[in-house]
Amino acid sequence: MNDEVYYDSHFNANEWFVIAMIVFGLLTIVILPKKFTPVQTLFTLLIGIVFGLIFDHTIGLPPFDLYDVGDDSNYHLFDIFSYAMYAPFGYLFIYLYKWLGLKGYYIIPYIVIWSLLSVGIEWLSLLVGVFHYKNGYRLMFSFPIYLFLQSIHYLLFQTLLVNKSSVNENKNT
């Protein structure tokens, strides 16, 4: 196995990929009909960024140091933008769940599909140089992480925002 990491130092495919993901994601959000309160919208946008930061700073830095983000192993200003590309995914994950009206066990295949989609996007990110794996990390290791994060995302949304809003509505009647 070759764990040698190749970096670049120019503004090229990895930066354009991040910009395209942010622009495409935000345009999609703007175009879609609004389904959420401002608090729900903010939550769904920020949760993706928060999860990205937590995992990048947990397994992407020493002592684990399993991958780097961007053009080298140090963080740069543009690497901060790479976290913004996670925001639309958090929003769209919950938006489509609500639009489809999923209930009960149907959320399980939905989370599995989104985890596979996430691995696919990560694979593209790997190809263009957004991520650089090292110390034995492999793409397949990301799948259970996505399963976990999207399950937590769903549970947090349901517990903090959906159930709370229905309790508040009952108090007002």
Side-chain angles (χ1 to χ4, degrees):
M1 282 188 235
N2 183 4
D3 264 354
E4 191 170 348
V5 179
Y6 297 98
Y7 300 103
D8 64 68
S9 59
H10 304 347
F11 191 93
N12 55 14
N14 64 344
E15 288 87 2
W16 283 115
F17 181 82
V18 169
I19 291 169
M21 293 297 287
I22 293 168
V23 170
F24 175 74
L26 292 178
L27 281 174
T28 302
I29 290 167
V30 168
I31 291 168
L32 289 171
K34 306 303 173 243
K35 289 192 174 291
F36 303 122
T37 67
V39 170
Q40 290 172 326
T41 299
L42 188 60
F43 173 84
T44 59
L45 290 170
L46 291 179
I47 196 76
I49 294 170
V50 169
F51 284 163
L53 282 166
I54 288 170
F55 270 85
D56 280 355
H57 291 278
T58 300
I59 65 173
L61 296 175
F64 301 108
D65 202 20
L66 298 175
Y67 60 88
D68 291 327
V69 177
D71 289 338
D72 60 42
S73 60
N74 298 311
Y75 276 91
H76 298 281
L77 178 60
F78 199 84
D79 296 337
I80 295 168
F81 292 113
S82 69
Y83 295 112
M85 75 179 180
Y86 296 124
F89 286 102
Y91 182 89
L92 293 171
F93 173 73
I94 295 296
Y95 187 94
L96 290 173
Y97 154 74
K98 296 290 280 178
W99 182 73
L100 292 169
L102 299 175
K103 297 195 184 328
Y105 291 111
Y106 290 107
I107 193 65
I108 294 169
Y110 183 74
I111 289 172
V112 169
I113 290 167
W114 267 89
S115 297
L116 291 169
L117 175 69
S118 299
V119 168
I121 298 296
E122 184 175 327
W123 175 73
L124 289 174
S125 300
L126 188 62
L127 288 180
V128 299
V130 174
F131 299 114
H132 304 277
Y133 296 161
K134 56 187 185 179
N135 298 326
Y137 194 79
R138 300 288 176 256
L139 182 63
M140 67 181 175
F141 300 161
S142 295
F143 183 72
I145 293 171
Y146 289 122
L147 282 174
F148 173 74
L149 290 177
Q150 288 163 346
S151 297
I152 295 298
H153 185 173
Y154 165 76
L155 291 171
L156 287 172
F157 183 80
Q158 287 297 110
T159 303
L160 299 176
L161 298 174
V162 173
N163 293 340
K164 184 178 178 184
S165 66
S166 61
V167 168
N168 288 338
E169 287 172 8
N170 291 336
K171 283 182 184 178
N172 295 334
T173 58

